[in-house]
Amino acid sequence: MGVNRPVEGKKSEEQMMGMSNTELAPLGGAFGAQALAQMSGSMQRQAGREIERVQAQALVADTREQGRALLTNTALNNVGALSALEQHLIQVAPLGEARYKHIVDS
């Protein structure tokens, strides 16, 4: 794999725009703080409430996603354990194979 380098004599997109990736949005929310500082008190409160609402929604969405991941992980582990047990029981007591499969598949 090669490194993408600008063609000699041509400017990169960043050079044409006059900024680097780190200049697009200052770190630490400085742009938001500057914008809030220029607003009236009531607009600052309204923006603050909206920001808190968006952050709360993001937290709820993240919690839901983490919950789904946990449930999926648990289900996959249980399926693996049941399948391994089914395979073991088929070797130990082959006459029960149909019943083992029925129980594990249900």
Side-chain angles (χ1 to χ4, degrees):
M1 283 190 211
V3 176
N4 290 336
R5 292 190 173 107
V7 177
E8 195 170 323
K10 290 195 172 193
K11 290 184 178 181
S12 71
E13 186 176 330
E14 289 174 347
Q15 290 170 329
M16 289 188 289
M17 294 178 67
M19 63 183 87
S20 69
N21 286 340
T22 57
E23 293 172 333
L24 293 176
L27 298 176
F31 177 76
Q34 289 173 357
L36 282 174
Q38 294 175 357
M39 294 179 184
S40 68
S42 64
M43 288 295 291
Q44 287 179 3
R45 287 187 295 279
Q46 181 180 354
R49 286 190 298 271
E50 181 69 14
I51 290 167
E52 287 176 357
R53 186 184 65 77
V54 170
Q55 288 173 334
Q57 287 175 338
L59 182 59
V60 169
D62 181 61
T63 302
R64 280 192 183 115
E65 185 62 27
Q66 292 297 321
R68 281 193 287 268
L70 177 62
L71 290 173
T72 300
N73 184 49
T74 300
L76 290 172
N77 282 326
N78 289 343
V79 167
L82 288 170
S83 296
L85 180 59
E86 176 188 5
Q87 182 180 17
H88 171 74
L89 291 174
I90 290 170
Q91 291 172 354
V92 173
L95 292 177
E97 181 173 355
R99 288 185 287 278
Y100 309 144
K101 287 186 181 300
H102 178 75
I103 290 169
V104 172
D105 291 343
S106 60

